[in-house]
């Protein structure tokens, strides 16, 4: 396994964003922190339904092929997409010790063959990034959904629910959380809903429509 000590651009962006979010969450008045917790409550309910679905229907396949070896296809590379809102939501749901650990691994030596957040016990995030949480490999999809269309319909419903929080063709939580921190003077390469040309076009089109 190749190890490197130099901070990659990817990890630098992650580290700076994590530090920024922590700094602001630590100094926010309690009332504003409560407002943020209320804002994310519906999303957390969605994540709980998602976890229950995956646990019920995918754990048999995924435990055998991935979890026992502590890696899945999405964890086996550096550079998984994390949204700014993922960092905020995880920050709100984590302890200081959890966040210290994330900071330490981002600053430590890196294994090029796997995600920086992967530990021997799995992912170090309390609320994993949404892209990871909804990643299903082709093998699992084929094994679980084949000839089981009601199950596939339930998965598609979860995919639709995800968009209600993340896809900015209407006001969505992920955009709102970026705006909240932008108003505090923050800027991050993970603010895709404010910086990605594709997502900006989605916003633009929905305004025109
Ligand atoms: S953040 Fe966690 S779930 Fe996502 S790729 Fe890294 S270790 Fe895997």
């Amino acid at each position: 396994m190749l190890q490197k000590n130099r901070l990659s651009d990817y990890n630098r962006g992650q580290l700076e964003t994590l530090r920024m979010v922590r700094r602001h969450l630590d100094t926010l008045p309690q009332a504003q922190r409560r407002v943020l917790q209320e804002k994310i409550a519906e999303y957390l309910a969605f994540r709980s339904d998602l976890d229950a679905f995956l646990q019920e229907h995918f754990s048999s396949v995924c435990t055998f092929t991935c979890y026992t070896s502590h890696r899945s296809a999405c964890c086996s590379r550096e550079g998984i997409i994390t949204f700014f809102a993922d960092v905020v939501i995880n920050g709100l749901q984590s302890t200081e010790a959890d966040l210290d650990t994330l900071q330490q691994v981002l600053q430590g030596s890196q294994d090029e063959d796997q995600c920086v957040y992967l530990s021997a016990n799995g992912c170090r995030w309390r609320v994993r990034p949404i892209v990871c949480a909804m990643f299903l490999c082709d093998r699992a999809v084929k094994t679980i959904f084949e000839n089981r269309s009601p199950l596939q319909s339930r998965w598609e419903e979860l995919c639709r629910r995800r968009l209600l929080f993340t896809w900015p063709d209407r006001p969505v939580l992920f955009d709102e959380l970026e705006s909240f921190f932008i108003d505090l003077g923050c800027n991050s390469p993970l603010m895709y809903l404010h910086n990605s040309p594709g997502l900006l076009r989605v916003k633009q089109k929905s305004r025109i429509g």
Side-chain angles (χ1 to χ4, degrees):
M1 255 181 235
L2 286 174
Q3 298 279 325
K4 60 179 180 180
N5 287 313
R6 197 177 61 78
L7 207 59
S8 66
D9 289 345
Y10 173 81
N11 285 352
R12 184 172 297 109
Q14 298 279 313
L15 182 60
E16 285 169 3
T17 301
L18 176 58
R19 281 183 175 145
M20 183 194 303
V21 166
R22 291 189 79 179
R23 203 166 51 245
H24 284 286
L25 288 181
D26 285 350
T27 52
L28 269 187
Q30 276 306 315
Q32 279 203 51
R33 234 186 122 103
R34 258 200 309 279
V35 168
L36 285 180
Q37 291 284 12
E38 282 162 14
K39 272 188 200 301
I40 69 169
E42 205 182 324
Y43 177 74
L44 293 177
F46 157 66
R47 290 295 299 264
S48 168
D49 291 346
L50 173 63
D51 287 347
F53 178 85
L54 293 174
Q55 180 64 34
E56 187 180 349
H57 301 291
F58 280 81
S59 64
S60 56
V61 172
C62 300
T63 301
F64 179 69
T65 56
C66 294
Y67 300 163
T68 47
S69 63
H70 300 304
R71 59 170 50 201
S72 69
C74 78
C75 303
S76 304
R77 59 178 184 218
E78 188 194 71
I80 189 81
I81 291 178
T82 51
F83 288 90
F84 185 84
D86 284 321
V87 181
V88 175
I89 292 162
N90 188 59
L92 286 164
Q93 293 300 109
S94 296
T95 64
E96 288 301 307
D98 294 332
L99 299 175
D100 286 345
T101 303
L102 295 186
Q103 253 179 250
Q104 280 156 14
V105 295
L106 284 166
Q107 293 172 105
S109 43
Q110 317 281 302
D111 177 349
E112 285 182 331
D113 296 332
Q114 69 172 47
C115 173
V116 64
Y117 298 117
L118 187 65
S119 76
N121 297 317
C123 183
R124 289 184 168 97
W125 286 51
R126 286 269 167 189
V127 184
R128 288 180 300 152
I130 185 65
V131 169
C132 309
M134 297 202 77
F135 176 85
L136 295 179
C137 73
D138 293 343
R139 181 180 179 279
V141 166
K142 193 168 180 329
T143 310
I144 304 296
F145 289 147
E146 203 162 45
N147 304 322
R148 296 170 82 187
S149 57
L151 215 52
Q152 187 153 4
S153 301
R154 281 180 61 197
W155 173 249
E156 285 162 4
E157 176 57 24
L158 287 165
C159 294
R160 277 193 290 277
R161 282 176 70 189
R162 166 195 183 161
L163 297 181
L164 299 178
F165 301 103
T166 60
W167 193 249
D169 60 352
R170 71 196 85 195
V172 288
L173 176 71
F174 274 39
D175 196 27
E176 213 182 319
L177 290 177
E178 285 185 12
S179 297
F180 182 93
F181 280 79
I182 288 170
D183 290 346
L184 295 175
C186 297
N187 187 19
S188 160
L190 308 192
M191 289 177 168
Y192 296 112
L193 284 95
H194 282 79
N195 297 326
S196 149
L199 293 177
L200 289 174
R201 268 197 302 279
V202 171
K203 281 190 196 178
Q204 177 92 26
K205 264 177 85 177
S206 70
R207 276 188 214 117
I208 295 167

